[in-house]
């Protein structure tokens, strides 16, 4: 087992652009509903039928960001998916890793996708907190021939 063995990978809870957009969508939708019902005397049921899906979508995105995490403890990787499903696997259960690196003049982007023996797949990218620890952990604990690096330039 390498030097890095206990850490967590999550979405940034405060700084995430998706999180900010979902909060803005929730606020704007609620304000529009309140104005339409209180000021314009519109039917509240109709307003929820029209704006409810937008509100529901924004709330679901916010919850999905909060739910997802990857915890690494020694050789065990515990995952909670966007929808709350939990599973875990040992580092030795990884059969393949796709490591994609996109590089161009304006931005760099990296994503690791791991596949396990029992068919589970896990993707983490460089927008997540703890991604660098995960890449070092993978390099230290997974055989080089299982890591398929792909560099895409524009």
């Amino acid at each position: 087992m390498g030097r890095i063995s206990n850490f967590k990978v999550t979405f940034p809870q405060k700084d995430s652009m998706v999180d900010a957009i979902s909060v803005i969508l929730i606020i704007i939708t609620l304000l529009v509903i309140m104005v339409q019902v209180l000021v314009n005397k519109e039917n509240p049921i109709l307003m929820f039928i029209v704006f409810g899906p937008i509100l529901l979508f924004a709330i679901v995105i916010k919850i999905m960001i909060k739910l997802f995490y990857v915890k690494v403890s020694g050789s065990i990787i515990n995952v909670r998916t966007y929808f709350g499903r939990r599973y875990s696997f040992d580092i030795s259960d990884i059969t393949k890793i796709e490591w994609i690196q996109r590089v161009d003049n304006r931005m760099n982007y990296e994503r690791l996708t791991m596949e396990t023996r029992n068919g589970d797949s896990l993707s983490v990218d460089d927008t997540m907190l703890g991604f660098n620890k995960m890449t070092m952990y993978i390099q230290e604990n997974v055989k080089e021939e299982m890591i398929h690096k792909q560099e895409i330039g524009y």
Side-chain angles (χ1 to χ4, degrees):
M1 195 55 38
R3 293 173 286 141
I4 299 173
S5 61
N6 292 309
F7 61 92
K8 190 173 182 179
V9 179
T10 62
F11 281 102
Q13 300 299 314
K14 301 274 188 245
D15 301 332
S16 171
M17 185 64 139
V18 174
D19 192 45
I21 290 171
S22 67
V23 169
I24 290 169
L25 266 175
I26 291 169
I27 292 169
I28 289 173
T29 305
L30 289 175
L31 286 173
V32 168
I33 290 172
M34 287 179 7
V35 167
Q36 291 295 330
V37 171
L38 298 175
V39 177
N40 297 336
K41 307 293 187 216
E42 292 288 337
N43 184 349
I45 294 173
L46 178 63
M47 289 299 102
F48 276 104
I49 290 172
V50 171
F51 293 105
I54 297 170
L55 185 63
L56 184 63
F57 174 75
I59 290 170
V60 165
I61 293 297
K62 189 146 179 60
I63 290 170
M64 286 171 60
I65 288 171
K66 298 274 187 216
L67 283 177
F68 179 84
Y69 71 76
V70 178
K71 282 185 187 172
V72 176
S73 299
S75 68
I76 303 296
I77 300 173
N78 297 298
V79 180
R80 185 170 66 191
T81 66
Y82 300 110
F83 298 106
R85 183 176 84 95
R86 295 171 192 244
Y87 64 92
S88 61
F89 57 91
D90 193 273
I91 190 78
S92 63
D93 290 339
I94 294 175
T95 57
K96 181 180 173 185
I97 295 178
E98 290 289 331
W99 190 334
I100 296 174
Q101 298 172 314
R102 294 182 184 196
V103 181
D104 67 13
N105 298 350
R106 290 169 269 132
M107 102 180 181
N108 296 333
Y109 174 77
E110 284 186 75
R111 183 181 73 227
L112 288 174
T113 302
M114 296 166 252
E115 295 177 11
T116 65
R117 285 191 184 114
N118 59 356
D120 288 322
S121 179
L122 169 64
S123 290
V124 294
D125 63 49
D126 64 355
T127 62
M128 299 176 180
L129 299 174
F131 177 76
N132 291 335
K133 288 182 181 177
M134 179 61 96
T135 59
M136 289 189 297
Y137 178 77
I138 292 297
Q139 288 174 329
E140 291 176 359
N141 297 295
V142 175
K143 295 176 187 167
E144 188 70 32
E145 59 266 11
M146 289 188 186
I147 301 174
H148 304 282
K149 287 190 178 183
Q150 183 179 9
E151 201 168 303
I152 302 171
Y154 291 83

